[in-house]
Amino acid sequence: MQGDSPTHFSRVTSLIRLLRSGDPDLRRSAAHLLKNERHRDVVDALCETLGDAVAEVRISAAQALQANTSSYATQRILDRLRDKSAPVREASAVALYRRDDTEVRDALVLTLFDEVPSVGLAAAHTLQHLRDVETRDRLLKVIVSESLRARLAAAVALQGVRDVSTIRKLVDIALFAHVPDTREAAIYALRGCPHPDARAARLRLLKDPSTLVKLRALQSFQGETDNEIVDAVLPLLQDRVARVRAEVALLLAGTASKSLQLDLAEQALCDESSEVRRACCLAIRGTQLRDAREVLVKLLEDDQEPYVREAAALGMGAAHSPLEQQVVSEKLLTDGVSMVREACAEILQHQRTPRTIEALCRAALYDDSMSVRARAVLSLQRVDDAWAQGLVRRLALSPGWVASGDSIRCAALKTLASFAIEGTLEELMKVAEEDRSNEVRIAAFDAAMEGLGKSGLAELLRVWKKADEEMRLALVAHLARSKAERAIALIRAALGSDPSWRVRYEALEALRSLSYPESEMAILKAIQDSNPIISERAAEALRGCTDQAVIAALLANLTSKDQRTRYYSALALRGVKDGAAITSIIELCNAPDSDTRQIAVLALSRSSDWRAKEALAQALRDADRTVRISAQRALQH
């Protein structure tokens, strides 16, 4: 790494050293952060890490080498296609993306035959980008091979192909191959294909004598239910094979006219197959037609198959009429199958009659299934009934009462927070601080967060600081799924001050995923984190940022007294498109000290602006050798 700046050299050396640390998490993070480094020492270290004892580390190393197309890296990744770990083989197949040579193509085609389907599918997705004539011909040969897994993987690789010759060959296989499984794979490859020959072939295959072929043809029309397709599939509602009839019902779900909804309701009532009855119930889910809803009520009451009763309950969406409320409430308390009772509890959540509240309370107390009890408790949210509120409060705050498991207590805490009862927030905060179960503490923390305003942030932070690292990591993961302002504030606080680098790293990733307006300013501060892994990740997160305040702060950092701050700010500015920012960076190319000039060159390294190119060309003649080498590398991007 001769010619690199001291900061860059130190960073890369530290990361290479971390690849050999005893902590697998550190090795994995170091591999991830080295993915854009192309120096031979880095490539050698990553290739060595492909042999790490921990599969997750080998996966990170393969991902880091994806952008390196050198023959040495390619060969080592090819070796990992035979790794004993299926996830490593899968990651290696993905890492071979856009390596267009015969050896890679041959290896990927062989990987289609892997015993683990996900590995073959990963190879198939990589092969989608190698659609030269030779690759397409080899995939067509795999489609007519004897391996079912390989045929389906090859079909995935050919999906979306635009070559007319290949489409017509697939049509010929779909129509005329002797083995139904082979024809099925060809149809899968033609799924959604807009070419007239492909569409005509798929419509024709709806009448094929093979059930497998017919089913695959039906599935190929998912999302394409225009009038021609509806007219073509309707007769199949009378097909002798139940699975075909069920597939037709599911294909028509959400697109049915009133007359078609009634046809599906009649089919649900009369069909001898429980699979078809269930599919028809789901196909008319949320229907407002009285006759169709009467069918759903009858099926919920009388059908012998629990899957059909569950689908009938879900198909109703809500119990509107007194008769529906009566039937659903009775089934909640008396049905012998828990999934049916759970579906009934779910659709009663918007009903507030004395009958439905009593049924939900009884289910919450006495049902044999924990999931049914938890669902019944959640359906009591915002109910204005003193007895029901007292029941929920006791379930939430009394761990040993009526065998309340963690799932029930979590549901009760969420429901309790929905009641406007004085003192509830204090009780929730106490549970969040003191309960023995992390799951319950997170639920209490979340419920309290919903009830507290901005002024309550300090109280939440107090609970946060008392939690152990495992709890804080779980909280970050939970808060990342929320878009509430208080959740963002807590994640920002964790990124800025948590003592654990793992928690700060997860907080940074959470802010990246949330794309909140103030996230970029919080990430900007993380550039100065004491851990280089987090600083690097923060620089990656800010790359391409268009916020003027963030860009101005990064430009100011380029002249900071701290080397690491200057370096990571330059990384964040690479590829910046703001004209004024580019002008400011170009001015720094003439700074009196070489370190500042090199940082400016690094910041310009991925810019497409002609002025940046010109400044880099001038830097090739800089008096300092490290600046000249950096400029040369920048112009190679």
Side-chain angles (χ1 to χ4, degrees), residues 61-62 160 191 213 227 265 324 424 512 554 565 569 575-576 619:
R191 184 173 186 169
V213 172
N227 290 336
E324 290 176 0
T424 297
R512 291 186 67 184
L554 289 170
T565 301
S569 297
V576 66

Side-chain angles (χ1 to χ4, degrees), residues 401-416:
W401 190 56
V402 292
S404 300
D406 284 355
S407 61
I408 296 174
R409 291 191 63 209
C410 290
L413 286 163
K414 184 174 182 178
T415 302
L416 180 62

Side-chain angles (χ1 to χ4, degrees), residues 52-71:
D52 195 277
V54 178
E56 288 78 6
V57 178
R58 300 200 297 277
I59 290 170
S60 293
Q63 292 168 342
L65 287 167
Q66 179 171 331
N68 191 298
T69 56
S70 67
S71 58

Side-chain angles (χ1 to χ4, degrees), residues 337-399:
V337 181
S338 62
M339 65 181 182
V340 179
R341 301 197 301 274
E342 189 171 348
C344 290
E346 181 179 341
I347 66 172
L348 286 178
Q349 63 183 321
H350 301 300
Q351 273 63 49
R352 294 290 179 264
T353 65
R355 180 197 297 275
T356 58
I357 291 173
E358 181 185 358
L360 288 169
C361 288
R362 289 175 62 187
L365 277 174
Y366 304 122
D367 199 278
D368 294 334
S369 165
M370 289 290 185
S371 62
V372 175
R373 292 177 64 192
R375 180 62 258 184
V377 170
L378 287 172
S379 291
L380 287 168
Q381 287 184 62
R382 290 176 292 279
V383 70
D384 188 17
D385 181 274
W387 186 77
Q389 290 178 352
L391 169 66
V392 170
R393 183 177 180 279
R394 195 164 180 188
L395 286 171
L397 304 178
S398 305

Side-chain angles (χ1 to χ4, degrees), residues 573-590 597 599-621 627 630-637:
L573 284 167
R574 287 197 298 182
V576 66
K577 296 181 180 179
D578 183 80
I582 292 172
T583 301
S584 298
I585 298 170
I586 290 173
E587 289 174 0
L588 292 177
C589 288
N590 299 316
R597 297 200 301 275
I599 286 295
V601 165
L602 177 62
L604 293 173
S605 61
R606 295 189 179 178
S607 175
S608 57
D609 191 288
W610 66 270
R611 296 173 300 157
K613 300 293 184 186
E614 188 175 275
L616 291 172
Q618 289 177 3
L620 292 173
R621 299 187 294 276
V627 176
S630 295
Q632 184 179 5
R633 289 180 177 175
L635 287 168
Q636 288 172 352
H637 281 286

Side-chain angles (χ1 to χ4, degrees), residues 65-94:
L65 287 167
Q66 179 171 331
N68 191 298
T69 56
S70 67
S71 58
Y72 177 62
T74 300
Q75 189 57 55
R76 293 302 302 271
I77 296 171
L78 285 171
D79 292 343
R80 289 298 102 194
L81 288 177
R82 298 187 293 275
D83 196 279
K84 63 182 179 181
S85 166
V88 175
R89 298 199 300 275
E90 185 176 342
S92 300
V94 174

Side-chain angles (χ1 to χ4, degrees), residues 154-172:
V156 170
L158 285 169
Q159 272 188 344
V161 67
R162 296 181 181 181
D163 178 68
V164 175
S165 173
T166 304
I167 290 172
R168 286 176 176 162
K169 288 177 183 177
L170 286 169
V171 167
D172 288 343

Side-chain angles (χ1 to χ4, degrees), residues 153-446:
V156 170
L158 285 169
Q159 272 188 344
V161 67
R162 296 181 181 181
D163 178 68
V164 175
S165 173
T166 304
I167 290 172
R168 286 176 176 162
K169 288 177 183 177
L170 286 169
V171 167
D172 288 343
I173 295 171
L175 291 175
F176 305 118
H178 295 296
V179 181
D181 285 350
T182 302
R183 294 161 61 204
E184 180 189 4
I187 298 166
Y188 193 81
L190 293 169
R191 184 173 186 169
C193 181
H195 192 278
D197 290 353
R199 183 181 171 95
R202 289 185 290 143
L203 286 169
R204 176 178 169 182
L205 289 167
L206 291 173
K207 300 177 182 179
D208 196 273
S210 166
T211 299
L212 282 175
V213 172
K214 196 183 300 181
L215 280 169
R216 188 62 77 182
L218 277 168
Q219 292 164 358
S220 77
F221 286 113
Q222 284 293 339
E224 293 183 74
T225 46
D226 55 43
N227 290 336
E228 182 184 15
I229 295 170
V230 170
D231 291 343
V233 302
L234 267 179
L236 294 178
L237 273 176
Q238 308 306 320
D239 193 273
R240 61 183 179 81
V241 179
R243 192 176 169 192
V244 173
R245 301 197 299 275
E247 196 66 46
V248 172
L250 293 173
L251 179 64
L252 295 173
T255 60
S257 63
K258 289 184 178 181
S259 61
L260 197 48
Q261 286 185 39
L262 292 174
D263 290 342
L264 289 168
E266 183 179 354
Q267 189 88 12
L269 190 62
C270 303
D271 202 285
E272 61 184 14
S273 164
S274 60
E275 181 183 7
V276 178
R277 298 198 301 276
R278 178 180 183 275
C280 289
C281 288
L282 295 175
I284 59 174
R285 187 170 186 167
T287 180
Q288 299 303 310
L289 297 178
R290 187 184 64 180
D291 291 346
R293 293 186 69 84
E294 286 177 356
V295 168
L296 293 172
V297 171
K298 183 172 180 59
L299 289 171
L300 176 60
E301 276 189 296
D302 301 333
D303 201 279
Q304 297 301 306
E305 292 295 330
Y307 286 104
V308 178
R309 298 199 300 276
E310 179 198 31
L314 295 174
M316 292 167 66
H320 296 308
S321 68
L323 174 62
E324 290 176 0
Q325 292 172 12
Q326 177 185 345
V327 172
V328 174
S329 298
E330 288 175 358
K331 295 302 288 184
L332 170 60
L333 298 175
T334 61
D335 198 279
V337 181
S338 62
M339 65 181 182
V340 179
R341 301 197 301 274
E342 189 171 348
C344 290
E346 181 179 341
I347 66 172
L348 286 178
Q349 63 183 321
H350 301 300
Q351 273 63 49
R352 294 290 179 264
T353 65
R355 180 197 297 275
T356 58
I357 291 173
E358 181 185 358
L360 288 169
C361 288
R362 289 175 62 187
L365 277 174
Y366 304 122
D367 199 278
D368 294 334
S369 165
M370 289 290 185
S371 62
V372 175
R373 292 177 64 192
R375 180 62 258 184
V377 170
L378 287 172
S379 291
L380 287 168
Q381 287 184 62
R382 290 176 292 279
V383 70
D384 188 17
D385 181 274
W387 186 77
Q389 290 178 352
L391 169 66
V392 170
R393 183 177 180 279
R394 195 164 180 188
L395 286 171
L397 304 178
S398 305
W401 190 56
V402 292
S404 300
D406 284 355
S407 61
I408 296 174
R409 291 191 63 209
C410 290
L413 286 163
K414 184 174 182 178
T415 302
L416 180 62
S418 71
F419 304 149
I421 301 176
E422 187 177 350
T424 297
L425 286 176
E426 289 76 8
E427 292 172 332
L428 292 172
M429 293 298 289
K430 185 176 180 181
V431 173
E433 270 190 73
E434 300 176 0
D435 202 88
R436 294 181 178 181
S437 165
N438 273 359
E439 184 183 356
V440 173
R441 289 172 68 190
I442 290 172
F445 191 93
D446 191 44

